[in-house]
Amino acid sequence: MKTLNTKRWLGLSALLGSLLVVAGCSLAPTYTKPDVNAPAAFKETPQETALAPSEQGTWKTAQPSEQALRGEWWTVFNDPTLNDLEHQALEANQNLKAAAARVKESRAINQTARAGLFPTLDAGFGPTREKLSPASQFLPANANVPSQTLWRAEGSASYEVDLFGRVSDSVKAANADTEQSEALFRSVQLALQADVAQNYFNLRELDSESDVFTRTVTLREQALKLVQNRFNEGEISELDVAQARSELATAKSDAMTVQRLRAASEHGLAVLLGKAASQFSMAANPLTPVEIKIPPGLPSSLLERRPDIAAAERTMAAANSRIGVAKAAFFPSLNITGSGGFESATLGDLFNWSSRTFLLGPFAGTALNLPIFDGGRRKGNLANARAIYEEDVANYRQQVLVAFQEVEDNLSDLRILEDQTRTQAEAVSASNRAAQLSRSQYTEGAVNYLDVIDAERTVLQSQRAAVQLAGVQATSTVNLIRALGGGWGDMPAAPATPLPAASDASVASR
């Protein structure tokens, strides 16, 4: 008998030892970032900001750096009003506050997942009233078993051994989800900063257009006076007067259209700042052309700077860990529970040493559970986890391609806009000269008033086009900075709106 007990003990010890060996071993596939076939340099990189020959073709492994401070990039525009608006938006924008709340949600879920690494402890106190059946006490069927009150003061503990890495993989997935939510917060923050800058430059562009129309209306009024005087002197017909009045009214109407667009733009900017439209107004200030050169750097570094790419990569990492969780479901799980304390029939005897009690073993839930048949549920869960990972890989690669496209689009826009702006400036100068000549010739009677109207319309169109190009150039510069992740080169970092403070548990998990 002693030999038999020894063999059982050795067998149990061997089983427990093997379980301890596999405890914490992850079944998740080894995580590696997929190749994205990034180019060595951007095709549209301007020559003056191109990489040095020694840097061309350089590649380094990209690491998500969405937590890195990117600095107050909008200060490169050297506009105090824009600086103030950006700070107001970071403090009060409601979309940014909602993104910060989502970070807190993710950290709370992460803390819940981490709790699985530790045992749970509970304590209880109170009486129970019970009546046992005669059969449970091995008594005759007609035996009278009196009911009784039992007082209990007990503590219980339970713990799931991390066999095959089910718990640790769940924690890894939760950590990656938290990092994803933080990267998405940075993405929302960057989008807000860019939207404020774009809306601001759009507002100033409309101020420039309004200034053009103000000067145009003044010229139209002067022209109407001139034509009216010539009509009063009998030099021209009433047709010229009617045409002059029509041009003046049209210019005033177009000016009102610009004012309407400006009001809507101002209201949109107020919302970005977290204010009611009725509580915000901005004085008119025509746009000054933006001529800032932004060096895009290496395409590989884009994978580090873009918070949306970092978020897609963390989503992929979380999905990879959940494959391990789905695999672990095919293997045994070990849950250890037990309770101990005091139990007595009277409250006065409850805490006597003789009233102590404990319960361990299968009746308390200690069990090594081996799944045998579930109708294909675990197989379906594993297939689903793998498919989600494949989807996240495709989404990550697509996000990288879109990022490269956005950079190339804005680089090409700025390159072409530089030449187009110069060309349009020449058109404005030429149209002004043509209008001046046509007015002089009309005064001398060499041309009719329709020629003057055509010349002045051309001036207005060319001036508006020049102003609009300046606005497009400013917003394209902002778009390029946004596409690059909000920073570039060795620009000094400055504190921006911080993420919500992480709890001790979430900090320890990273």
Side-chain angles (χ1 to χ4, degrees), residues 213 249-259 460 464:
F213 276 110
T250 300
K252 288 182 178 181
S253 177
D254 289 342
M256 293 176 188
T257 298
V258 173
Q259 293 172 2
L460 177 60
R464 287 194 69 186

Side-chain angles (χ1 to χ4, degrees), residues 95-107 181 184 188:
N95 287 335
L96 191 61
K97 291 182 181 294
R102 288 192 291 271
V103 173
K104 294 179 181 178
E105 294 170 13
S106 180
R107 287 174 175 170
S181 69
L184 290 176
V188 172

